Amino acid sequence: MNFDQILSAIGGFGRYQKILYIWICLPQVLLAFHMLVSIFTGATPPHQCREGSSPAAGNQSLYSATLNFSLSNSSCFSQDVVLLGNGTQRVPCGDGWVYSRETFESTIVTEWDLVCSKAVFNNIGSSIYMFGLLVGSVVFGAMADRYGRRFVLLLSLALQTVFGVTVAFAPNFPVYVILRFVVGTTISGVIINAFVLGTEWTCTKRRMLAGIITDYAYGLGYMLLAGVAYLIRDWRKLQLAISAPGFLVLPHSARWLLANNRREEAIALLRKAALVNGRPVSRFLIHLWRHHQVEKCEISVEAKRSHSAVDLVRTPQMRKRSLILFYVWFVNVLVYYGLSLGVSRLGTDLYLTQFVFGLVEIPARSLVLVVLPFSRRLTQSGFLAIGGLACLLMLAVPADHPNLLSGLAMVGKFGIAASFAVIYVYTAEIFPTVLRQTGIGVSCMFARMGGVLAPIINMLHNHSPATPLAIFGISPLLGAVLALALPETADRPLPDTVEDAENWDVRMKVKTQVSKL
């Protein structure tokens, strides 16, 4: 009798697991806040040079009220100076800038003048934050294997709260970036361990549903952020609001306790879960598990230790599938955050657009639940294609049609959000058991690289508005084509070893021929 059978016996997705998922979903809302708050705290309002000779110089509020601001007439230069020859030379703003307060009371841009020649630092700061997620996935992933999912999850939430609040008091931009980097590392600690803790308490049949439930919570946070930002227009106050205490009380993972020879603690947790679920575990069942399950789990753990990340690319089929999955993960995060962080350029109401961008995630996840049981491969490819085509169609829409641009952007966001939900399930099914955790870990590292590049690619918009959309359109279309080369995993037994993975297609063909006979 293995752990999954014990889990089914005590209630694979009963009241205990549902309560656990409610607590796990709460930090997912905060994750959406931290991941997307820079859309508002790092927004660039319309601005003009503060003229030293102006009677309003030194009085920003008066100056901003008397000027007709718009993004189109925002300027980095004060005036033209006639040279001795026939040409003129544009003079940069010498007395700083004055900003419109129509939408924002303050942002990091208005506080530290991150415009014109300094505008690049805003996007670099976002990339450094995303790099924090990459570092956090390595650090907190290793800590979780040693100290347990629960401890690292609670530690990540505590650090996220402390440093998130500290960000609001950053005295200058470099300190702000460093503190946001630390918050980024804690985000990975929450994402990885909340997902794993939930799935390790859920029976096999319900894991796909349980995993997507947390995505709904993230979408809820996406929408709530629009409302919170609408009410709080000062960036420091907004940062404080989204960094509300996130301390939780969560149980250990019984599976992790077992793998680390903490047998009695695991049995106590299983008894508690069974009691909450109204499914008392018989003495005989506990006796079987106590004396036989440990050896099986220890063998499984030892098997995992005998493999490394190199095995992901050592053999032909594993190499092909791994490289395709790495690219699909990279593209999903690149386009997802490329579109999300670029929402302010669509020309529509920022708060409403942000809300709808979060809202489209709900039907996207719901559609995944409907179509995913039929085919993983076609679903993954189809949603990537929808996201890519929508981005390319945006290139054909003039800038003076913001509603149409926003509509296509939402279609693209819909496709990428759905693709994002699929890739989690698909990756776990393609990698064999002995390499599953390693494969998902490496895939997440490639995903974080996409997050680092997304703000940098958005910077290209200032020089060539079509370039970011071309990249966000072509890259997922290439991923859609490559995904067709992956094996179908729906309703098929998963590979346990590298050999199983290499011979998977052959075994499926033989099984099909035998069934026909």
Side-chain angles (χ1 to χ4, degrees), residues 62-341:
L62 175 60
Y63 197 64
S64 62
T66 57
L67 287 179
N68 181 22
F69 283 102
S70 70
L71 285 174
S72 59
N73 66 13
S74 293
S75 175
C76 295
F77 301 93
S78 59
Q79 59 187 342
D80 289 339
V81 177
V82 180
L83 300 180
L84 295 177
N86 295 325
T88 61
Q89 180 181 5
R90 304 191 72 186
V91 178
C93 299
D95 297 302
W97 290 263
V98 61
Y99 301 88
S100 170
R101 291 188 175 181
E102 181 180 356
T103 304
F104 305 99
E105 289 183 15
S106 72
T107 69
I108 63 169
V109 173
T110 65
E111 182 159 340
W112 294 311
D113 283 337
L114 302 180
V115 293
C116 299
S117 62
K118 293 183 179 179
V120 64
F121 294 117
N122 193 6
N123 288 299
I124 291 176
S126 296
S127 291
I128 292 175
Y129 169 78
M130 291 292 186
F131 183 69
L133 272 74
L134 174 59
V135 174
S137 65
V138 176
V139 174
F140 287 107
M143 287 180 64
D145 290 335
R146 182 171 182 178
Y147 300 108
R149 320 287 185 212
R150 174 179 175 271
F151 170 77
V152 175
L153 176 55
L154 296 179
L155 175 64
S156 299
L157 286 170
L159 293 175
Q160 182 184 111
T161 301
V162 172
F163 282 92
V165 169
T166 308
V167 168
F169 299 95
N172 52 56
F173 184 67
V175 173
Y176 168 85
V177 171
I178 293 172
L179 292 173
R180 282 271 293 169
F181 170 83
V182 177
V183 172
T185 63
T186 66
I187 294 294
S188 285
V190 175
I191 292 175
I192 296 173
N193 293 291
F195 178 78
V196 173
L197 181 62
T199 54
E200 287 182 344
W201 270 109
T202 308
C203 65
T204 304
K205 292 182 179 180
R206 296 298 184 97
R207 279 178 189 162
M208 182 182 75
L209 172 62
I212 293 179
I213 285 176
T214 60
D215 291 334
Y216 282 117
Y218 187 90
L220 175 62
Y222 208 129
M223 292 184 285
L224 286 176
L225 177 62
V228 175
Y230 180 82
L231 296 174
I232 305 174
R233 306 296 181 100
D234 178 88
W235 82 266
R236 292 186 184 272
K237 294 176 182 177
L238 178 58
Q239 181 66 37
L240 282 173
I242 67 160
S243 301
F247 298 103
L248 298 177
V249 179
L250 296 170
H252 270 296
S253 164
R255 190 186 296 263
W256 179 86
L257 290 171
L258 174 63
N260 286 270
N261 295 320
R262 294 166 63 174
R263 214 180 317 173
E264 296 303 324
E265 294 177 70
I267 293 176
L269 276 178
L270 287 169
R271 286 186 183 278
K272 180 180 179 181
L275 181 63
V276 173
N277 290 340
R279 303 275 293 274
V281 180
S282 66
R283 293 183 179 180
F284 176 70
L285 197 60
I286 288 294
H287 176 79
L288 278 177
W289 177 74
R290 186 194 300 271
H291 290 86
H292 299 286
Q293 171 62 16
V294 174
E295 289 84 359
K296 292 184 179 181
C297 257
E298 288 174 346
I299 292 173
S300 175
V301 171
E302 185 61 32
K304 289 182 181 179
R305 289 174 181 169
S306 64
H307 293 80
S308 68
V310 177
D311 292 305
L312 294 172
V313 294
R314 191 187 302 277
T315 54
Q317 291 299 322
M318 281 298 301
R319 180 165 53 249
K320 181 185 76 172
R321 294 166 188 167
S322 296
L323 293 177
I324 292 174
L325 287 173
F326 295 160
Y327 178 76
V328 172
W329 273 86
F330 170 83
V331 165
N332 266 285
V333 174
L334 175 73
V335 180
Y336 183 92
Y337 287 108
L339 291 175
S340 298
L341 298 178

Side-chain angles (χ1 to χ4, degrees), residues 406-470:
S406 297
L408 287 173
M410 289 170 191
V411 173
K413 180 70 173 359
F414 176 93
I416 291 300
S419 174
F420 217 153
V422 174
I423 193 61
Y424 272 100
V425 178
Y426 203 11
T427 302
E429 294 178 341
I430 287 179
F431 286 125
T433 302
V434 295
L435 284 171
R436 189 160 295 134
Q437 185 172 349
T438 302
I440 293 175
V442 176
S443 298
C444 286
M445 290 182 66
F446 277 88
R448 301 309 170 206
M449 293 178 188
V452 171
L453 288 178
I456 296 175
I457 291 175
N458 273 332
M459 281 195 303
L460 300 176
H461 180 271
N462 298 328
H463 304 284
S464 174
T467 301
L469 287 176

